[in-house]
């Protein structure tokens, strides 16, 4: 998009991408089979997270708005809840509450929408059928599907950030080293 819109953040789903513009508005491009490019009119966001065929945006007051495919309830944000962060997976979405507790909605066939009780996180990411969070001390914890070892966080490392792909997750250590776990087929 040379010479086009200027973004403060971008996020990608399965077949679409969205960008957060400087004024807080969002633009999405790519496949629109499930209306994943249909950003709610007049919305302004502080953050975006794209999943399989849906995207969620976080408004300044912590309200989440989601659009796109909703065959599992992944765009049905729990009423009256506010968040500090969002993570959209393939068929589920999770939000991080102001007290650090995760709350998920949508597809939960593999437990990806059922975080372990008592978790307090500083960030959250979602893969296809798993979800991971970063605890306050930098320890990563994952839940949901584990057919590819995507829940098997390496013991010991402390991370400053996490990203999740379909069936794998990577963590960034303070010194800049990346450590990944899960599907290593390619």
């Amino acid at each position: 998009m040379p010479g086009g819109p200027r973004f403060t953040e971008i996020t990608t789903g399965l077949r679409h991408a969205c960008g957060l513009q400087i004024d807080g508005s969002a633009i999405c491009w790519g496949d629109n089979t499930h209306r994943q490019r249909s950003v709610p009119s007049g919305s302004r966001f502080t953050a975006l997270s794209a999943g399989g065929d849906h995207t969620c945006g976080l408004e300044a007051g912590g309200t989440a708005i989601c659009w796109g495919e909703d065959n599992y309830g992944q765009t049905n944000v729990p009423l009256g809840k506010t968040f500090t962060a969002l993570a959209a997976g393939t068929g589920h979405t999770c939000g991080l509450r102001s007290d650090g507790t995760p709350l998920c909605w949508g597809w939960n066939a593999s437990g990806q929408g059922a975080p372990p009780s008592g978790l307090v996180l500083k960030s959250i990411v979602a893969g296809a059928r798993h979800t991971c969070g970063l605890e306050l001390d930098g320890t990563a914890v994952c839940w949901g599907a584990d057919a590819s070892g995507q829940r098997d966080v390496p013991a010991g490392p402390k991370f400053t950030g996490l990203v999740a792909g379909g069936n794998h997750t990577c963590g960034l250590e303070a010194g800049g080293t990346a450590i990944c776990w899960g599907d290593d087929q390619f």
Side-chain angles (χ1 to χ4, degrees):
M1 299 183 114
R6 306 268 322 224
F7 301 111
T8 60
E9 146 183 345
I10 58 171
T11 183
T12 60
L14 186 59
R15 294 177 288 267
H16 76 289
C18 298
L20 183 62
Q21 297 187 99
I22 294 168
D23 68 356
S25 63
I27 297 175
C28 298
W29 58 94
D31 183 43
N32 198 35
T33 304
H34 303 283
R35 299 182 43 81
Q36 60 267 51
R37 291 190 332 227
S38 302
V39 180
S41 179
S43 299
R44 295 289 184 262
F45 303 108
T46 59
L48 297 174
S49 181
D53 287 316
H54 76 289
T55 301
C56 296
L58 189 62
E59 294 183 311
T63 300
I65 297 174
C66 301
W67 61 93
E69 184 176 53
D70 190 40
N71 56 343
Y72 298 108
Q74 64 266 42
T75 66
N76 293 329
V77 181
L79 293 175
K81 304 295 183 188
T82 58
F83 305 96
T84 60
L86 297 173
T90 297
H92 73 292
T93 305
C94 295
L96 200 56
R97 307 289 315 277
S98 62
D99 64 359
T101 58
L103 176 65
C104 302
W105 57 94
W107 191 33
N108 191 35
S110 300
Q112 66 269 34
S117 62
L119 275 183
V120 177
L121 304 173
K122 61 182 176 180
S123 66
I124 192 164
V125 297
R129 295 174 51 185
H130 75 290
T131 307
C132 298
L134 200 54
E135 295 184 277
L136 300 178
D137 69 353
T139 301
V141 58
C142 299
W143 60 93
D146 196 35
S148 300
Q150 60 267 50
R151 280 193 333 230
D152 301 335
V153 180
K158 301 294 183 186
F159 300 104
T160 59
L162 297 174
V163 293
N167 294 314
H168 67 286
T169 303
C170 295
L172 184 64
E173 289 185 290
T177 301
I179 299 174
C180 301
W181 57 95
D183 190 353
D184 191 27
Q185 182 178 358
F186 299 104

